[in-house]
Amino acid sequence: MIYRAEIKVLLKRSVLDPQGQAVEKALAILSYDNVEHVRIGKYMELRLRASDKTAAEAQVREMCERLLANPVIEDFIFTVAEAEA
Amino acid sequence: MIYRAEIKVLLKRSVLDPQGQAVEKALAILSYDNVEHVRIGKYMELRLRASDKTAAEAQVREMCERLLANPVIEDFIFTVAEAEA
């Protein structure tokens, strides 16, 4: 079975996000001064073959911990769903 | 009213994604060779003050088109919801 995973990786709340701050300032310069708490992270999509959804979720979690996120400074959340095709 | 926006920015399907390819190869080296179609993009969270949800959505769309995404090579999707606090 083919599953589709969507993964979001964000810096932990306690970690300074200079990229988010830069974007917030740039937005303010463009007159979007009603925007705050901008945080920037990574978004990843992938497809994987697995025997069932539980196995797919376990593998995605493991891949996040080993490669896709840095658990020291980043949090990740993901969803896994059956792919259409 | 305060709204919370979540924005995903991904390269258009027709645009080569070298970062995604690099991650796919790195996953294969780690024995995750059942993974394919890795695509890497940006994920952004922000809060904004707006009179209603329609205004908040319109502003987020405009910010994506003007600053947060590059419409020539990227697609964006976003959700806007009332923030809890």
Side-chain angles (χ1 to χ4, degrees):
Chain A
M1 194 78 82
I2 305 281
Y3 292 89
R4 183 170 176 281
E6 293 190 5
I7 301 156
K8 298 175 195 167
V9 179
L10 271 181
L11 287 170
K12 285 181 196 286
R13 293 279 159 207
S14 54
V15 177
L16 196 70
D17 181 355
Q19 205 185 351
Q21 290 179 337
V23 167
E24 198 167 315
K25 277 185 199 154
L27 286 170
I29 290 167
L30 291 171
S31 306
Y32 300 115
D33 47 10
N34 57 341
V35 176
E36 55 179 14
H37 296 303
V38 180
R39 292 190 72 83
I40 310 246
K42 282 173 286 183
Y43 173 70
M44 292 173 250
E45 279 179 7
L46 54 84
R47 290 158 69 96
L48 75 164
R49 190 177 299 274
S51 51
D52 57 32
K53 194 177 168 184
T54 309
E57 284 175 344
Q59 183 180 331
V60 170
R61 182 178 306 280
E62 197 182 278
M63 293 191 305
C64 285
E65 286 164 355
R66 289 185 66 190
L67 182 75
L68 304 178
N70 176 351
V72 177
I73 56 166
E74 291 173 330
D75 287 324
F76 60 86
I77 47 174
F78 63 85
T79 59
V80 169
E82 243 177 74
E84 293 88 51
Chain B
M1 194 77 83
I2 306 281
Y3 293 88
R4 183 169 176 282
E6 293 190 4
I7 302 156
K8 298 175 196 169
V9 178
L10 270 181
L11 288 169
K12 286 180 197 284
R13 293 278 159 207
S14 54
V15 176
L16 197 69
D17 181 355
Q19 205 185 349
Q21 290 179 338
V23 168
E24 198 167 316
K25 278 185 199 154
L27 286 170
I29 290 167
L30 292 171
S31 307
Y32 301 115
D33 47 9
N34 57 341
V35 176
E36 55 179 14
H37 296 301
V38 180
R39 292 191 70 84
I40 310 245
K42 281 173 288 185
Y43 173 70
M44 292 174 252
E45 279 180 6
L46 54 85
R47 290 159 68 96
L48 76 164
R49 189 177 299 274
S51 52
D52 57 31
K53 194 177 169 185
T54 309
E57 285 175 343
Q59 183 181 330
V60 171
R61 182 179 307 281
E62 199 181 277
M63 291 190 306
C64 285
E65 286 164 355
R66 288 185 68 190
L67 182 75
L68 304 178
N70 177 350
V72 177
I73 55 166
E74 291 173 329
D75 287 324
F76 60 86
I77 47 175
F78 63 86
T79 59
V80 169
E82 242 177 75
E84 294 88 51

